Amino acid sequence: ERLLILTAILWIAGIVGFGVISVWRSQAWAYAIAMWTEASQRASGDNSRAYGELGAYYKLAANYGPAEHYLKEAIKLNPNFGPSMNNLAWIMLDTGRSDDALKMLKLCVERCPYYSLAWQDLGFVYEQLGHAAEAERCYQRALELELET
């Protein structure tokens, strides 16, 4: 009986803890989104960094519509910024568009051949699509790049 009560208490604490963490995260993402929105409005000239960060934080908040919009804007302004392309590929993957994610990551490693995370994620997408040899090649390239730095 004591074990059952202890298990129940831990289970409830876990749920409450998860809820607290979820609320904290959503507040943190909201703060970051507000900060980068303000930065994008104040910036003159190239807003690609602000748009890329906005897209990344909207993605973390699982708000994919605005995330995709801002990441595409960032890529328009700076077509060689790997993190924005990589984040956009993950949104595509998370929303069931594996083929689009594959195309975006191929473009990313073409434009940013030394961006190891893009190679790693390209390998992951190939693996998910059942292309083991291509996945292994991409993972190997990511590892090589990481060992060089």
Side-chain angles (χ1 to χ4, degrees), residues 82-129:
S84 290
M85 289 185 277
N86 200 66
N87 280 325
L88 182 56
W90 272 103
I91 290 170
M92 293 168 171
L93 194 61
D94 288 347
T95 57
R97 297 176 286 158
S98 299
D99 291 338
D100 291 336
L102 182 66
K103 289 176 191 171
M104 180 56 62
L105 287 165
K106 283 181 172 181
L107 181 63
C108 187
V109 298
E110 178 184 309
R111 291 181 180 174
C112 310
Y114 301 104
Y115 185 40
S116 64
L117 183 58
W119 282 102
Q120 177 184 319
D121 292 345
L122 181 57
F124 176 80
V125 173
Y126 273 128
E127 185 177 353
Q128 295 299 303
L129 295 174

Side-chain angles (χ1 to χ4, degrees), residues 35 51 60 98 134 140:
M35 183 187 76
Y51 289 156
L60 289 170
S98 299
E134 287 297 317
Q140 183 62 42

Side-chain angles (χ1 to χ4, degrees), residues 6 8 22 24 40 67 71 98 137 146:
L6 182 57
S22 295
W24 178 82
S40 72
L71 290 167
S98 299
R137 182 184 66 81
E146 283 299 315

Side-chain angles (χ1 to χ4, degrees), residues 7-8 12-13 18-19 31 43-44 46 48 50 54 61 64 66 71 77-78 97 104 106 114 119 136 138 143 145 147:
T7 303
I12 290 168
F18 179 75
Y31 175 76
S44 60
D46 182 5
S48 63
L54 267 170
Y64 295 132
L71 290 167
L77 292 170
N78 185 351
R97 297 176 286 158
M104 180 56 62
K106 283 181 172 181
Y114 301 104
W119 282 102
E136 185 176 344
C138 292
L143 181 61
L145 289 168
L147 292 174

